[in-house]
Amino acid sequence: MQPSRDISRLIEIMAALRDPDGGCPWDLEQDFSSIRHYTIEEAYEVADAIERQDFGDLREELGDLLLQPIYHAQMASEAGHFDIGDVIYGITEKLIRRHPHVFGQDAAQGAAMAKGRWEAIKVEERAAKAARKGDATPSLLDDVPQVLPALARAEKLTKRAAKVGFDWPDFASVQAKVAEELAEVAEAKTSGDQAALHEEIGDLLFAVANLARQAGVDAEGALRDANFKFTRRFHHVEARCREDGVEPRDAGLARLDGYWNEIRAADKA
């Protein structure tokens, strides 16, 4: 079998890997649960390649991510649930339905109007989905995935609640809430109640996610960038320790902080 630019070849390869007669033993052992974490990991690796602006890696990581729906659809087909054709039909139907201003007669005047229509259609879809499951009173929060990173999920939950007016009136109000939660963290720490401290730090993080949303900042992306910045700066600290012939654990906080301030000042300059 030869590689190809045609997605049908990828589908054929996946079917061969899962073939009980001559397929790959590892692939044959897998099920939806055992590979779901790979699906999440591949999505993060795509995001990482984008953030690094490495388009060679992005091409490769998109391929790894593309394999995941093919893999899940192959297993679903084997179990008689659906196949990759059903998946493709479903997403094409959804995109056509959600863009009446492109594929229908309903012209949209600008991106804001298009987004508004998209959101209205999604509300209708959530209600229809809940009805199919027998839930007559669907919640706005029902389809916010549990498996999202906690910070991203917190931001999405507050965004959903804000759609019905359950929101802080302005940035200053959320800023005050963050200060309030920080004070409660300090109070819990002073009390020595570890369970209360756990809860209050959670409330603080939730408030910070809300603050980011109010500011129009992607909280998850901002934290990823902060992680990247910390990693890059700490690499400088380690390099300076090597230059001075000292182990980081033996350098002492004052020296380590001095190295840190070097790269911090260079960043600002």
Side-chain angles (χ1 to χ4, degrees), residues 15-16 47 49 73 103 127 130 157 164 166 169 204 231 233 241 245 260 268:
F103 302 109
L157 288 170
V164 294
F166 191 70
L204 174 62
T231 302
R233 288 179 174 179
C241 284
W260 179 271
K268 290 184 179 298

Side-chain angles (χ1 to χ4, degrees), residues 102-137:
V102 176
F103 302 109
Q105 304 300 317
D106 192 8
Q109 302 299 319
M113 183 178 292
K115 186 174 186 298
R117 286 178 180 161
W118 173 283
E119 293 295 342
I121 292 169
K122 285 176 67 177
V123 169
E124 294 172 0
E125 290 172 354
R126 281 196 290 270
K129 188 175 184 179
R132 288 196 302 270
K133 294 181 177 180
D135 185 356
T137 56

Side-chain angles (χ1 to χ4, degrees), residues 65-143:
L65 182 59
L66 177 60
L67 174 62
Q68 294 305 305
I70 302 295
Y71 206 140
H72 284 284
Q74 175 62 34
M75 292 188 293
S77 178
E78 294 164 5
H81 300 313
F82 57 84
D83 62 18
I84 191 62
D86 297 317
V87 174
I88 294 170
Y89 180 89
I91 187 58
T92 55
E93 189 277 334
K94 180 186 290 185
L95 287 171
I96 293 167
R97 184 178 68 251
R98 289 186 176 180
H99 293 84
H101 51 288
V102 176
F103 302 109
Q105 304 300 317
D106 192 8
Q109 302 299 319
M113 183 178 292
K115 186 174 186 298
R117 286 178 180 161
W118 173 283
E119 293 295 342
I121 292 169
K122 285 176 67 177
V123 169
E124 294 172 0
E125 290 172 354
R126 281 196 290 270
K129 188 175 184 179
R132 288 196 302 270
K133 294 181 177 180
D135 185 356
T137 56
S139 168
L140 276 173
L141 310 181
D142 281 346
D143 60 345

Side-chain angles (χ1 to χ4, degrees), residues 163-239:
K163 291 182 183 300
V164 294
F166 191 70
D167 195 12
W168 298 101
D170 51 38
F171 183 83
S173 301
V174 193
Q175 190 175 15
K177 182 61 177 177
V178 170
E180 176 189 322
E181 296 295 352
L182 184 59
E184 291 179 1
V185 167
E187 183 180 337
K189 177 63 176 174
T190 300
S191 74
D193 186 335
Q194 192 64 23
L197 183 60
H198 174 98
E199 181 178 351
E200 296 301 344
I201 287 179
D203 290 346
L204 174 62
L205 292 170
F206 193 88
V208 169
N210 216 344
L211 185 75
R213 181 184 59 79
Q214 277 276 353
V217 170
D218 172 11
E220 189 73 25
L223 183 57
R224 281 199 306 271
D225 289 345
N227 288 340
F228 177 80
K229 180 169 64 177
F230 177 86
T231 302
R232 179 175 53 78
R233 288 179 174 179
F234 194 76
H235 286 166
H236 171 83
V237 171
E238 291 174 316

